[in-house]
């Protein structure tokens, strides 16, 4: 055995590598080969005063200032609720004051009569009349005489008190009626009449109406919490005493929070799965009870937050950027909405992309639109918007979009324009990368990413906010789908560091509409109301449902009201948690866009060449005549101008050659005889053109297949 260490104030202890967590009898290590046994695995822990004292303060401490007052949001919520209660109660009572006055005038004389009768009853000691009468009936002279003498003493003593009081009241009433001014009479009536009316009213007929019909909220208690958890019938929880509490139940925003330590082997998600039963145990609506896991704790710690009233009935804070304010795309954060405790939820855009998914009526378009509304409040941001549903929810952004980069509708033309915009965005990635590398080498940034200094220096690096609503219409299109998936996957992977933020919303959630190659590269993912755990994991990431994300609990809105519209679970910015987007209706969104346009006054808009929005190779092949194996550029250009005058109207032979080279087909010298003379000019060969088109299609198919394999 190892030699013990002796100190002056400690018992001898055997040295051990660390202090054990649990005390247990020492276990000896069996050493082979006849060697000596090692030290005990769990030696007795030496008790020290320092450890005993500090261990009591190593955990979370009870806050000195209540949680509802430590944040601006909590103070604001408390103030709003208090002011709302006072003003609403005052309005209710003010409108019913005539009825209160009539009831008081009716019951006041009755009250005066009752109080006078009680005074006489007390002065004459009539409460003992029954006992004295009983003694007289029994002819018990001694008892009767004793009770009579007692009555005489009481009446005499009470008369000395009652007579001065009555005389004083008579004098005061006389002064009030004949001497006092009118305002004193009114004040006395306002004080005395309600008191007399209260004394004269029936016990079940209050004069003042009740303002709120609902029962007053009962403060959350340990017993109530244990009973609610027991109602969940979770395996492993047999007795209420099995449920422990990490700390005292405390006030948290507009509600109370209980941090519960479940028995060993019971997970917090086991209780979360039984949210209906948990709410039933509290005797509260489900939207008032919010169980969740606790970040940084083991899976057996459960947080139960119980709101004072259903969160759907709470008044959501107004969006802070609705009336004024600006936003910095590169370094700024903005308030996206609020969580279930009415705390603000922030959002940032730089080097990220956004995904919003949910079934129809979940509010995904309006939720995603809040992000775009914040982005346009940076005057450097250029918007690209395509709504493949065509409902008009994003039509307000059209004035901000360069020509050719806005579309609305589910028709073929809008899909083709959307695909052309994706082609242009991929070209932007190709062109921005060398510029970023160049300016980073000049010291404009320490990393090869677009920042504000670069964007202000070179308009070609302005940030792009791309909003694609109902994207599944394009990704599942039999004609454009494969190419669109390839383009979008490349843009999302490469554009993040190049100042391109893609926001797309979809109501179809499967591997075709949300390929793994796309969703796995999007940082900010919001899953609104869905029908099962499969959709939850597709949007938020595998295992999100098992870790407590429950967007399946949200009820989408319909014609009867918003319900849980805008509520969703958000991942990618801290722990996955529920939040609701700020509500910005169409008129309010138009006002924000008007402010954004005002910010851009005097700025030259970014012009996108229409040719960049065309599939140049496909157009050249379309104008190719049968039997031609090579064509000069000067002959192709007029044909393209006839095909689309808007895109190719200003096209020259030199510009055509540059665009063809960018598309992967360089123009080369082609010889012809004109009037018997050999002539050589730049042009395109059919074999080279078709080879490049075939190669491009193969790249699209390969990229799509790879994305499908990843999913």
């Amino acid at each position: 055995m190892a030699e013990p260490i002796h100190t002056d104030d400690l018992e001898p202890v055997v040295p051990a590598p660390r202090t054990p967590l649990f005390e247990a009898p020492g276990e000896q290590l069996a050493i082979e080969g006849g060697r000596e046994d090692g030290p005990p695995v769990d030696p007795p822990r030496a008790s020290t005063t320092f450890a005993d004292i500090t261990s009591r303060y190593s955990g979370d401490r009870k806050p000195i200032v209540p949680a509802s007052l430590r944040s601006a949001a909590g103070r604001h919520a408390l103030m709003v609720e208090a002011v709302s209660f006072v003003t609403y109660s005052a309005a209710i009572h003010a409108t019913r004051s005539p009825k209160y006055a009539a009831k008081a005038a009716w019951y006041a004389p009755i009250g005066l009569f009752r109080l006078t009768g009680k005074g006489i009853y007390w002065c004459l000691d009539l409460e003992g009349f029954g006992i004295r009468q009983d003694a007289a009936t029994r002819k018990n002279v001694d008892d009767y005489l004793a009770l009579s003498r007692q009555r005489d003493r009481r009446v005499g003593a009470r008369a000395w008190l009652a007579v001065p009081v009555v005389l004083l009241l008579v004098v005061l009433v006389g002064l009030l009626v004949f001497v006092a001014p009118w305002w004193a009479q009114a004040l006395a009536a306002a004080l005395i009449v309600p008191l007399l009316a209260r004394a004269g009213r029936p016990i079940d007929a209050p004069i003042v109406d009740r303002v709120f019909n609902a029962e007053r909220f009962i403060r959350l208690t340990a017993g109530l919490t244990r009973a609610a958890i027991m109602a969940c019938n979770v395996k492993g929880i047999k007795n209420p005493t099995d449920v422990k509490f990490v700390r005292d139940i405390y006030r948290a925003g507009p509600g109370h929070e209980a941090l519960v330590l479940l028995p060993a082997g019971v997970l917090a998600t086991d209780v979360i799965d039984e949210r209906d039963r948990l709410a039933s145990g509290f005797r509260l609506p489900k939207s008032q009870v919010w169980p969740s896991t606790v970040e940084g704790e083991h899976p057996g710690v459960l947080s139960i937050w119980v709101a004072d009233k259903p969160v759907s009935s709470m008044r959501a804070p107004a969006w802070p950027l609705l009336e004024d304010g600006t936003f910095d795309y590169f370094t700024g954060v903005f308030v996206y909405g609020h969580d279930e405790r009415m705390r603000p939820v922030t959002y940032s855009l730089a080097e990220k992309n956004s995904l919003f998914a949910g079934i129809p009526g979940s509010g995904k378009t309006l939720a995603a639109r809040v992000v775009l509304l914040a982005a346009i409040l940076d005057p450097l941001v250029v918007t690209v918007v395509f709504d493949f549903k065509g409902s008009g929810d994003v039509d307000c952004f059209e004035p901000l979009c360069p020509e050719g980069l806005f579309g609305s509708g589910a028709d073929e033309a809008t899909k083709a324009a959307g695909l052309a915009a994706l082609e242009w965005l991929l070209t932007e990635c190709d062109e921005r990368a060398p510029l970023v590398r160049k300016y980073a080498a000049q010291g404009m940034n320490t990393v090869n990413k677009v920042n504000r200094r670069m964007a202000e220096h070179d308009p070609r690096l302005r940030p792009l906010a791309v909003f694609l609503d109902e994207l599944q219409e394009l990704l599942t299109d039999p004609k454009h789908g494969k190419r669109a998936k390839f383009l979008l996957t490349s843009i999302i992977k490469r554009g993040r560091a190049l100042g391109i933020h893609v926001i797309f919303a979809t109501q179809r959630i499967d591997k075709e509409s949300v390929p793994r190659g796309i969703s796995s590269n999007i940082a900010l993912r919001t899953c609104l109301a869905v029908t099962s755990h499969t959709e939850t994991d597709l949007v938020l990431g595998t295992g999100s449902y098992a870790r407590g994300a429950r967007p399946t609990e949200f009820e989408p809105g319909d014609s009867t009201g918003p319900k849980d519209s805008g509520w969703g679970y958000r991942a990618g910015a801290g722990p996955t948690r529920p939040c609701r987007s700020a509500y910005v209706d169409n008129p309010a969104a138009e006002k924000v866009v008007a402010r954004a346009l005002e910010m851009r006054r005097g700025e030259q808009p970014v012009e996108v060449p229409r040719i960049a929005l065309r599939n140049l190779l496909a157009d050249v092949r379309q104008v190719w005549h049968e039997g031609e194996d090579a064509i000069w550029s000067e002959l192709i250009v007029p044909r393209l101008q006839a095909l689309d005058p808007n895109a190719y109207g200003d096209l020259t032979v030199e510009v055509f050659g540059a665009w063809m080279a960018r598309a992967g087909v360089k123009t080369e010298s082609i010889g012809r005889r004109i009037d018997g003379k050999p002539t050589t000019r730049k042009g395109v060969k059919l074999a080279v053109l078709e080879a490049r088109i075939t190669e491009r299609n193969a790249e699209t198919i390969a990229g799509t297949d790879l994305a499908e394999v990843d999913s």
Side-chain angles (χ1 to χ4, degrees):
M1 297 291 290
E3 291 294 326
I5 299 175
H6 295 276
T7 62
D8 295 336
D9 56 346
L10 294 178
E11 296 293 332
V13 296
V14 178
R18 60 188 299 271
T19 302
L21 296 177
F22 302 99
E23 295 184 1
E27 298 177 1
Q28 300 296 326
L29 295 175
I31 306 298
E32 296 180 359
R35 291 177 293 177
E36 294 183 358
D37 292 341
V41 176
D42 295 323
R45 184 176 61 179
S47 175
T48 63
T49 303
F50 178 80
D52 288 341
I53 293 177
T54 57
S55 64
R56 298 175 182 270
Y57 301 96
S58 60
D60 293 337
R61 301 185 182 185
K62 186 174 182 178
I64 298 175
V65 180
S68 58
L69 299 178
R70 290 202 304 270
S71 65
R75 294 190 295 270
H76 179 267
L78 185 62
M79 182 184 67
V80 168
E81 290 296 327
V83 171
S84 175
F85 175 81
V86 171
T87 55
Y88 183 77
S89 300
I92 286 290
H93 294 316
T95 56
R96 289 159 174 76
S97 56
K99 182 179 73 171
Y100 298 162
K103 294 173 70 174
W106 175 262
Y107 291 126
I110 301 175
L112 179 60
F113 179 78
R114 286 182 178 177
L115 292 177
T116 303
K118 288 183 178 180
I120 295 173
Y121 189 86
W122 176 77
C123 288
L124 299 180
D125 193 23
L126 295 179
E127 63 267 26
F129 175 78
I131 300 176
R132 293 191 296 271
Q133 187 63 37
D134 179 69
T137 302
R138 292 186 287 105
K139 296 181 180 182
N140 190 331
V141 178
D142 294 337
D143 289 349
Y144 178 76
L145 291 176
L147 292 172
S148 296
R149 286 192 295 269
Q150 183 187 48
R151 171 186 174 277
D152 293 340
R153 288 194 300 270
R154 285 183 176 179
V155 170
R158 292 175 182 180
W160 282 103
L161 177 63
V163 170
V165 171
V166 171
L167 293 176
L168 179 62
L169 289 176
V170 170
V171 172
L172 291 177
V173 170
L175 292 175
L176 188 64
V177 173
F178 299 106
V179 179
W182 68 268
W183 58 266
Q185 296 175 353
L187 179 61
L191 295 175
I192 297 172
V193 170
L195 296 177
L196 294 177
R198 178 176 177 81
R201 69 172 178 85
I203 193 171
D204 58 345
I207 298 175
V208 179
D209 292 347
R210 188 174 182 179
V211 178
F212 300 98
N213 294 325
E215 295 183 1
R216 182 182 296 272
F217 177 77
I218 301 175
R219 187 175 64 86
L220 200 63
T221 63
L224 184 61
T225 304
R226 285 190 171 105
I229 293 177
M230 292 299 296
C232 296
N233 294 327
V234 174
K235 184 178 180 181
I237 305 178
K238 299 179 180 179
N239 301 307
T241 54
D242 294 339
V243 177
K244 310 295 183 183
F245 291 87
V246 177
R247 64 169 120 176
D248 294 340
I249 297 174
Y250 60 96
R251 183 77 180 171
H256 294 82
E257 183 178 23
L259 289 180
V260 177
L261 180 63
L262 299 173
V266 180
L267 305 179
T269 51
D270 295 338
V271 179
I272 296 174
D273 288 335
E274 301 294 338
R275 185 183 175 193
D276 289 337
R277 295 181 181 273
L278 185 67
S280 175
F282 282 116
R283 295 295 189 265
L284 292 173
K286 188 169 67 173
S287 61
Q288 204 167 335
V289 180
W290 294 82
S292 63
T293 57
V294 180
E295 183 185 9
E297 294 287 350
H298 64 81
V301 177
L302 172 69
S303 168
I304 302 177
W305 186 75
V306 177
D308 294 341
K309 58 184 178 180
V311 294
S312 57
S313 63
M314 293 184 185
R315 179 178 298 177
W319 192 44
L321 296 176
L322 196 59
E323 299 295 336
D324 56 15
T326 59
F327 174 68
D328 187 336
Y329 173 90
F330 296 98
T331 61
V333 295
F334 64 92
V335 175
Y336 163 76
H338 61 88
D339 63 7
E340 73 278 9
R341 306 186 191 187
M342 295 297 155
R343 298 174 298 190
V345 175
T346 57
Y347 211 103
S348 60
L349 298 180
E351 301 181 30
K352 299 180 179 71
N353 294 289
S354 299
L355 166 64
F356 291 83
I359 60 178
S362 59
K364 60 188 174 300
T365 298
L366 296 187
R369 192 174 68 175
V370 171
V371 178
L372 186 60
L373 286 172
I376 64 175
L377 293 178
D378 186 336
L380 290 181
V381 170
V382 179
T383 53
V384 180
V385 178
F386 281 89
D387 175 14
F388 296 107
K389 178 175 58 176
S391 62
D393 289 332
V394 296
D395 288 354
C396 59
F397 296 102
E398 185 173 6
L400 289 170
C401 298
E403 185 179 1
L405 297 183
F406 176 85
S408 179
D411 55 279
E412 178 63 25
T414 303
K415 293 179 183 178
L419 185 66
L422 293 180
E423 296 276 5
W424 174 74
L425 287 171
L426 187 59
T427 304
E428 279 289 296
C429 293
D430 296 336
E431 295 180 350
R432 288 179 176 226
L435 293 174
V436 172
R437 187 166 58 250
K438 169 187 171 182
Y439 292 131
Q442 294 177 2
M444 290 190 180
N445 201 352
T446 57
V447 293
N448 292 340
K449 296 177 182 178
V450 177
N451 63 359
R452 193 165 197 86
R453 186 179 177 186
M454 293 182 185
E456 291 176 342
H457 177 75
D458 192 336
R460 292 175 294 177
L461 292 178
R462 287 188 173 186
L464 298 173
V466 185
F467 184 31
L468 305 173
D469 193 18
E470 303 297 351
L471 185 63
Q472 75 279 354
E473 298 297 324
L474 181 61
L475 296 183
T476 59
D477 185 80
K479 181 179 179 181
H480 306 298
K482 287 188 176 182
R483 181 65 181 172
K485 290 178 184 177
F486 170 75
L487 294 171
L488 193 58
T489 303
S490 298
I491 293 166
I492 288 175
K493 289 180 178 179
R494 300 171 56 193
R496 180 185 64 84
L498 302 174
I500 301 176
H501 185 103
V502 180
I503 309 164
F504 80 84
T506 179
Q507 67 182 17
R508 179 176 171 183
I509 309 170
D510 53 32
K511 66 178 182 180
E512 296 294 331
S513 302
V514 190
R516 184 66 67 184
I518 294 177
S519 62
S520 61
N521 288 284
I522 294 180
L524 304 175
R525 303 177 302 278
T526 303
C527 185
L528 293 92
V530 292
T531 57
S532 72
H533 66 90
T534 304
E535 291 85 354
T536 303
D537 288 347
L538 272 174
V539 177
L540 300 179
T542 303
S544 296
Y545 190 90
R547 290 190 294 270
R550 295 293 189 274
T552 52
E553 300 285 349
F554 297 131
E555 186 176 357
D558 53 25
S559 58
T560 62
K563 295 187 180 178
D564 293 330
S565 180
W567 276 103
Y569 276 80
R570 178 175 154 212
T576 301
R577 60 171 178 165
C579 60
R580 190 175 199 173
S581 67
Y583 178 68
V584 182
D585 58 14
N586 289 341
E590 292 173 359
K591 292 180 180 179
V592 175
V593 172
R595 283 171 45 213
L597 288 170
E598 184 69 21
M599 293 178 185
R600 289 160 174 76
R601 178 169 294 181
E603 293 282 342
Q604 290 295 328
V606 176
E607 295 184 1
V608 180
R610 288 296 299 269
I611 188 175
L613 303 177
R614 299 283 306 191
N615 189 336
L616 182 59
L617 298 182
D619 289 346
V620 172
R621 185 64 183 88
Q622 183 177 346
V623 300
W624 204 283
H625 294 172
E626 187 176 355
E628 296 175 329
D629 59 348
I631 309 178
W632 285 341
S633 298
E634 63 185 31
L635 298 178
I636 298 177
V637 169
R639 298 180 187 179
L640 292 175
Q641 291 173 340
L643 177 66
D644 189 342
N646 292 328
Y648 301 115
D650 299 329
L651 187 64
T652 64
V653 173
E654 292 76 14
V655 173
F656 172 75
W659 279 100
M660 288 297 291
R662 180 180 295 177
V665 178
K666 293 184 178 181
T667 55
E668 51 188 299
S669 299
I670 298 174
R672 290 282 188 273
R673 284 187 175 274
I674 300 178
D675 298 332
K677 297 180 180 180
T679 304
T680 301
R681 295 175 183 173
K682 291 290 185 179
V684 179
K685 293 183 178 180
L686 179 61
V688 177
L689 176 65
E690 290 186 337
R692 177 54 185 156
I693 292 175
T694 302
E695 180 183 358
R696 195 171 189 179
N697 292 337
E699 290 174 354
T700 300
I701 295 174
T704 304
D705 291 343
L706 181 59
E708 291 176 350
V709 169
D710 291 341
S711 63

